[in-house]
Amino acid sequence: MTSLSERERATIAFALRHPRGRYDATRTAQLSGVPRSTVYDWRRGGIYNSDYLRASPAIWSYRDLVMLRLLAWLRQGGMARPTAAEKTASVREQLSAGVEIRRIHATATDVVLVTDEGRDALDDRDNLLPSSDFYALLGTFDLFEPIEELRSKPSAAVWAPNLVTPSDHSSISPWVLAGDPCVEHSRIPTAAIYALRTERELPVEAVVELYPGITADAVEDVTDLEGRLRDQRAA
């Protein structure tokens, strides 16, 4: 993922201390990369409980998106399901307690966290995760040969966007519109642009006229993003 500034890291760290954002099961699957059926399976089995456990219908938080990715990577790397569930819950507890995690290293049996004081103590060798940088969990989630538990279809790859900047002209803030992706520098949901383009079949120029300040490039970019989220396929 694009390198985050210290300010951006601090902002995200604060957001991960609390339940921010509200996503239904479909949007959770689209943004986390974990198939909807798996999200529900983990919820029913107590493998991963949402921050909004008592909500009906079920919803998940921005922090849940990150933790679901962590759990998925641990399972993909071969960690046993009960162990992966326990370790993911432990990471969330530490985030809730205000621990600022800088680096993370996972083996088949354990997860080691390093805070700011020891940020250079880990490397990526033998790590089940794509990087020892904890914030890499917010980067693009890409599995071309996922284990069966993480497949929505027998031959399906797994893809989900960067959880800070999903595309060139979009962004996500846990504090804006319940954390849904928006056109950059605005509060315009990317899903709204997609609906105008695909359901109402408005041309790009007409959408730009409706929302002064956004560009044709932005309209095309976020329409493509939303299409890919719905398609759930790798590029």
Side-chain angles (χ1 to χ4, degrees), residues 168-205:
D168 290 342
H169 294 278
S170 65
S171 63
I172 294 177
S173 169
W175 290 276
V176 176
L177 292 182
D180 213 40
C182 292
V183 179
E184 61 182 349
H185 312 308
S186 80
R187 298 174 66 89
I188 305 168
T190 56
I193 301 297
Y194 180 81
L196 291 172
R197 291 283 292 120
T198 61
E199 295 173 16
R200 295 185 57 183
E201 299 183 346
L202 293 184
V204 172
E205 296 76 12

Short mmCIF file of all heavy atoms in Angstrom, two decimals, residues 168-205:
data_model
loop_
_atom_site.label_atom_id
_atom_site.label_comp_id
_atom_site.label_asym_id
_atom_site.label_seq_id
_atom_site.Cartn_x
_atom_site.Cartn_y
_atom_site.Cartn_z
N ASP A 168 -7.71 5.56 -7.40
CA ASP A 168 -6.99 6.83 -7.61
C ASP A 168 -7.81 8.05 -7.19
O ASP A 168 -7.25 9.08 -6.81
CB ASP A 168 -6.59 6.97 -9.08
CG ASP A 168 -5.51 6.00 -9.48
OD1 ASP A 168 -4.82 5.45 -8.59
OD2 ASP A 168 -5.35 5.75 -10.70
N HIS A 169 -9.13 7.96 -7.29
CA HIS A 169 -9.97 9.12 -7.02
C HIS A 169 -11.00 8.86 -5.92
O HIS A 169 -12.08 9.45 -5.92
CB HIS A 169 -10.68 9.57 -8.30
CG HIS A 169 -9.75 10.08 -9.35
ND1 HIS A 169 -9.26 11.36 -9.35
CD2 HIS A 169 -9.21 9.46 -10.44
CE1 HIS A 169 -8.47 11.53 -10.39
NE2 HIS A 169 -8.42 10.39 -11.07
N SER A 170 -10.67 7.97 -4.99
CA SER A 170 -11.59 7.70 -3.89
C SER A 170 -10.82 7.57 -2.59
O SER A 170 -9.60 7.37 -2.57
CB SER A 170 -12.39 6.42 -4.15
OG SER A 170 -11.54 5.29 -4.18
N SER A 171 -11.54 7.67 -1.48
CA SER A 171 -10.93 7.54 -0.17
C SER A 171 -11.94 7.00 0.82
O SER A 171 -13.15 7.04 0.58
CB SER A 171 -10.39 8.90 0.32
OG SER A 171 -11.46 9.82 0.47
N ILE A 172 -11.42 6.47 1.93
CA ILE A 172 -12.27 5.98 3.02
C ILE A 172 -11.83 6.65 4.31
O ILE A 172 -10.64 6.65 4.64
CB ILE A 172 -12.17 4.46 3.18
CG1 ILE A 172 -12.76 3.74 1.97
CG2 ILE A 172 -12.91 4.00 4.44
CD1 ILE A 172 -12.62 2.22 2.04
N SER A 173 -12.78 7.22 5.02
CA SER A 173 -12.55 7.71 6.38
C SER A 173 -13.59 7.06 7.28
O SER A 173 -14.78 7.12 6.98
CB SER A 173 -12.69 9.23 6.46
OG SER A 173 -12.71 9.65 7.83
N PRO A 174 -13.17 6.44 8.38
CA PRO A 174 -14.14 5.82 9.28
C PRO A 174 -15.15 6.81 9.86
O PRO A 174 -16.18 6.40 10.39
CB PRO A 174 -13.26 5.23 10.40
CG PRO A 174 -11.92 5.05 9.76
CD PRO A 174 -11.79 6.19 8.80
N TRP A 175 -14.86 8.11 9.75
CA TRP A 175 -15.74 9.13 10.32
C TRP A 175 -16.70 9.73 9.30
O TRP A 175 -17.57 10.51 9.65
CB TRP A 175 -14.92 10.26 10.93
CG TRP A 175 -14.21 9.85 12.18
CD1 TRP A 175 -14.72 9.82 13.44
CD2 TRP A 175 -12.85 9.40 12.29
NE1 TRP A 175 -13.77 9.38 14.33
CE2 TRP A 175 -12.61 9.11 13.66
CE3 TRP A 175 -11.82 9.20 11.38
CZ2 TRP A 175 -11.40 8.66 14.13
CZ3 TRP A 175 -10.61 8.74 11.85
CH2 TRP A 175 -10.40 8.47 13.20
N VAL A 176 -16.53 9.43 8.03
CA VAL A 176 -17.34 10.05 6.98
C VAL A 176 -18.29 9.03 6.38
O VAL A 176 -17.87 7.97 5.90
CB VAL A 176 -16.43 10.65 5.88
CG1 VAL A 176 -17.28 11.22 4.74
CG2 VAL A 176 -15.52 11.73 6.46
N LEU A 177 -19.59 9.34 6.38
CA LEU A 177 -20.62 8.48 5.79
C LEU A 177 -20.49 7.03 6.25
O LEU A 177 -20.56 6.10 5.44
CB LEU A 177 -20.57 8.57 4.27
CG LEU A 177 -20.99 9.92 3.66
CD1 LEU A 177 -20.94 9.85 2.15
CD2 LEU A 177 -22.38 10.33 4.12
N ALA A 178 -20.29 6.87 7.56
CA ALA A 178 -20.20 5.53 8.17
C ALA A 178 -19.09 4.69 7.57
O ALA A 178 -19.14 3.46 7.58
CB ALA A 178 -21.54 4.79 8.07
N GLY A 179 -18.06 5.36 7.02
CA GLY A 179 -16.90 4.65 6.50
C GLY A 179 -17.03 4.14 5.08
O GLY A 179 -16.15 3.40 4.61
N ASP A 180 -18.10 4.52 4.38
CA ASP A 180 -18.25 4.05 3.01
C ASP A 180 -17.29 4.81 2.08
O ASP A 180 -17.01 6.00 2.32
CB ASP A 180 -19.69 4.23 2.53
CG ASP A 180 -20.12 3.13 1.58
OD1 ASP A 180 -19.76 1.96 1.83
OD2 ASP A 180 -20.80 3.43 0.59
N PRO A 181 -16.78 4.19 1.04
CA PRO A 181 -15.90 4.90 0.11
C PRO A 181 -16.58 6.12 -0.50
O PRO A 181 -17.76 6.06 -0.87
CB PRO A 181 -15.60 3.85 -0.97
CG PRO A 181 -15.80 2.54 -0.29
CD PRO A 181 -16.92 2.75 0.68
N CYS A 182 -15.82 7.20 -0.61
CA CYS A 182 -16.33 8.44 -1.20
C CYS A 182 -15.39 8.91 -2.30
O CYS A 182 -14.21 8.55 -2.33
CB CYS A 182 -16.42 9.54 -0.14
SG CYS A 182 -17.68 9.27 1.11
N VAL A 183 -15.92 9.73 -3.19
CA VAL A 183 -15.07 10.40 -4.17
C VAL A 183 -14.09 11.27 -3.39
O VAL A 183 -14.45 11.91 -2.40
CB VAL A 183 -15.90 11.27 -5.13
CG1 VAL A 183 -15.00 11.98 -6.12
CG2 VAL A 183 -16.94 10.40 -5.86
N GLU A 184 -12.83 11.28 -3.81
CA GLU A 184 -11.81 12.02 -3.08
C GLU A 184 -12.21 13.47 -2.83
O GLU A 184 -12.86 14.10 -3.66
CB GLU A 184 -10.49 11.98 -3.85
CG GLU A 184 -10.56 12.62 -5.23
CD GLU A 184 -9.27 12.55 -6.01
OE1 GLU A 184 -8.23 12.18 -5.41
OE2 GLU A 184 -9.29 12.85 -7.22
N HIS A 185 -11.83 13.98 -1.65
CA HIS A 185 -12.08 15.37 -1.27
C HIS A 185 -13.57 15.73 -1.26
O HIS A 185 -13.94 16.86 -1.55
CB HIS A 185 -11.33 16.34 -2.19
CG HIS A 185 -9.90 15.99 -2.41
ND1 HIS A 185 -9.02 15.76 -1.37
CD2 HIS A 185 -9.18 15.82 -3.55
CE1 HIS A 185 -7.82 15.47 -1.87
NE2 HIS A 185 -7.91 15.50 -3.19
N SER A 186 -14.42 14.73 -0.98
CA SER A 186 -15.86 15.00 -0.97
C SER A 186 -16.55 14.04 -0.01
O SER A 186 -15.93 13.14 0.56
CB SER A 186 -16.46 14.82 -2.37
OG SER A 186 -16.67 13.46 -2.67
N ARG A 187 -17.86 14.23 0.13
CA ARG A 187 -18.70 13.30 0.89
C ARG A 187 -19.67 12.59 -0.05
O ARG A 187 -20.75 12.16 0.36
CB ARG A 187 -19.46 14.06 1.98
CG ARG A 187 -18.56 14.72 3.01
CD ARG A 187 -19.36 15.57 3.98
NE ARG A 187 -20.25 14.76 4.81
CZ ARG A 187 -19.92 14.22 5.98
NH1 ARG A 187 -18.70 14.42 6.47
NH2 ARG A 187 -20.79 13.51 6.68
N ILE A 188 -19.28 12.47 -1.31
CA ILE A 188 -20.12 11.82 -2.31
C ILE A 188 -19.79 10.32 -2.34
O ILE A 188 -18.67 9.93 -2.67
CB ILE A 188 -19.89 12.42 -3.71
CG1 ILE A 188 -20.10 13.92 -3.69
CG2 ILE A 188 -20.79 11.74 -4.73
CD1 ILE A 188 -19.62 14.62 -4.95
N PRO A 189 -20.74 9.46 -1.98
CA PRO A 189 -20.45 8.02 -1.99
C PRO A 189 -20.14 7.51 -3.39
O PRO A 189 -20.83 7.87 -4.36
CB PRO A 189 -21.76 7.40 -1.47
CG PRO A 189 -22.51 8.51 -0.83
CD PRO A 189 -22.12 9.76 -1.57
N THR A 190 -19.14 6.70 -3.49
CA THR A 190 -18.83 6.10 -4.79
C THR A 190 -19.98 5.23 -5.27
O THR A 190 -20.21 5.12 -6.48
CB THR A 190 -17.54 5.26 -4.71
OG1 THR A 190 -17.68 4.26 -3.69
CG2 THR A 190 -16.34 6.13 -4.38
N ALA A 191 -20.72 4.64 -4.33
CA ALA A 191 -21.87 3.82 -4.72
C ALA A 191 -22.95 4.65 -5.40
O ALA A 191 -23.65 4.15 -6.29
CB ALA A 191 -22.45 3.12 -3.49
N ALA A 192 -23.09 5.92 -5.01
CA ALA A 192 -24.09 6.80 -5.63
C ALA A 192 -23.70 7.09 -7.08
O ALA A 192 -24.57 7.10 -7.97
CB ALA A 192 -24.22 8.09 -4.85
N ILE A 193 -22.43 7.32 -7.32
CA ILE A 193 -21.97 7.56 -8.68
C ILE A 193 -22.19 6.32 -9.53
O ILE A 193 -22.65 6.40 -10.69
CB ILE A 193 -20.47 7.96 -8.68
CG1 ILE A 193 -20.23 9.21 -7.84
CG2 ILE A 193 -19.97 8.15 -10.11
CD1 ILE A 193 -20.93 10.44 -8.34
N TYR A 194 -21.89 5.18 -8.96
CA TYR A 194 -22.08 3.92 -9.69
C TYR A 194 -23.54 3.72 -10.07
O TYR A 194 -23.86 3.32 -11.21
CB TYR A 194 -21.60 2.75 -8.82
CG TYR A 194 -21.75 1.40 -9.46
CD1 TYR A 194 -20.81 0.94 -10.38
CD2 TYR A 194 -22.83 0.57 -9.15
CE1 TYR A 194 -20.93 -0.32 -10.97
CE2 TYR A 194 -22.95 -0.68 -9.73
CZ TYR A 194 -22.01 -1.12 -10.64
OH TYR A 194 -22.14 -2.35 -11.22
N ALA A 195 -24.44 4.03 -9.15
CA ALA A 195 -25.87 3.87 -9.43
C ALA A 195 -26.32 4.80 -10.56
O ALA A 195 -27.10 4.41 -11.43
CB ALA A 195 -26.68 4.14 -8.16
N LEU A 196 -25.83 6.03 -10.55
CA LEU A 196 -26.19 6.97 -11.60
C LEU A 196 -25.70 6.49 -12.97
O LEU A 196 -26.40 6.62 -13.97
CB LEU A 196 -25.62 8.35 -11.30
CG LEU A 196 -26.24 9.11 -10.11
CD1 LEU A 196 -25.44 10.37 -9.82
CD2 LEU A 196 -27.70 9.45 -10.39
N ARG A 197 -24.51 5.94 -12.98
CA ARG A 197 -23.93 5.50 -14.25
C ARG A 197 -24.56 4.20 -14.76
O ARG A 197 -24.75 4.03 -15.96
CB ARG A 197 -22.42 5.31 -14.09
CG ARG A 197 -21.65 6.59 -13.89
CD ARG A 197 -21.45 7.38 -15.19
NE ARG A 197 -20.56 6.69 -16.09
CZ ARG A 197 -20.87 6.28 -17.31
NH1 ARG A 197 -22.08 6.48 -17.80
NH2 ARG A 197 -19.97 5.67 -18.06
N THR A 198 -24.87 3.26 -13.85
CA THR A 198 -25.30 1.94 -14.29
C THR A 198 -26.81 1.72 -14.22
O THR A 198 -27.36 1.01 -15.07
CB THR A 198 -24.60 0.84 -13.46
OG1 THR A 198 -24.96 0.99 -12.08
CG2 THR A 198 -23.09 0.94 -13.60
N GLU A 199 -27.45 2.29 -13.22
CA GLU A 199 -28.89 2.09 -13.08
C GLU A 199 -29.68 3.15 -13.85
O GLU A 199 -30.65 2.83 -14.55
CB GLU A 199 -29.27 2.09 -11.60
CG GLU A 199 -28.67 0.92 -10.83
CD GLU A 199 -28.92 1.03 -9.34
OE1 GLU A 199 -29.81 1.81 -8.92
OE2 GLU A 199 -28.22 0.33 -8.57
N ARG A 200 -29.26 4.39 -13.71
CA ARG A 200 -29.94 5.45 -14.45
C ARG A 200 -29.31 5.71 -15.81
O ARG A 200 -29.84 6.47 -16.62
CB ARG A 200 -29.95 6.75 -13.62
CG ARG A 200 -30.76 6.62 -12.33
CD ARG A 200 -30.86 7.91 -11.58
NE ARG A 200 -31.45 8.98 -12.39
CZ ARG A 200 -31.58 10.24 -11.97
NH1 ARG A 200 -31.18 10.57 -10.75
NH2 ARG A 200 -32.11 11.15 -12.74
N GLU A 201 -28.15 5.10 -16.02
CA GLU A 201 -27.44 5.16 -17.30
C GLU A 201 -27.14 6.60 -17.73
O GLU A 201 -27.23 6.96 -18.91
CB GLU A 201 -28.24 4.43 -18.39
CG GLU A 201 -28.44 2.96 -18.08
CD GLU A 201 -29.16 2.21 -19.18
OE1 GLU A 201 -29.75 2.87 -20.06
OE2 GLU A 201 -29.13 0.97 -19.17
N LEU A 202 -26.76 7.43 -16.75
CA LEU A 202 -26.37 8.80 -17.08
C LEU A 202 -24.97 8.81 -17.66
O LEU A 202 -24.09 8.09 -17.18
CB LEU A 202 -26.40 9.68 -15.82
CG LEU A 202 -27.75 9.96 -15.18
CD1 LEU A 202 -27.57 10.92 -14.01
CD2 LEU A 202 -28.73 10.53 -16.19
N PRO A 203 -24.72 9.63 -18.66
CA PRO A 203 -23.35 9.76 -19.18
C PRO A 203 -22.47 10.47 -18.15
O PRO A 203 -22.96 11.15 -17.24
CB PRO A 203 -23.53 10.60 -20.44
CG PRO A 203 -24.80 11.35 -20.23
CD PRO A 203 -25.68 10.45 -19.42
N VAL A 204 -21.18 10.32 -18.32
CA VAL A 204 -20.22 10.92 -17.38
C VAL A 204 -20.45 12.42 -17.24
O VAL A 204 -20.45 12.97 -16.14
CB VAL A 204 -18.78 10.64 -17.84
CG1 VAL A 204 -17.78 11.43 -16.99
CG2 VAL A 204 -18.47 9.16 -17.77
N GLU A 205 -20.68 13.09 -18.36
CA GLU A 205 -20.86 14.55 -18.34
C GLU A 205 -22.06 14.96 -17.49
O GLU A 205 -22.02 15.97 -16.79
CB GLU A 205 -21.01 15.08 -19.77
CG GLU A 205 -19.80 14.88 -20.67
CD GLU A 205 -19.64 13.45 -21.17
OE1 GLU A 205 -20.60 12.65 -21.01
OE2 GLU A 205 -18.55 13.12 -21.70
#
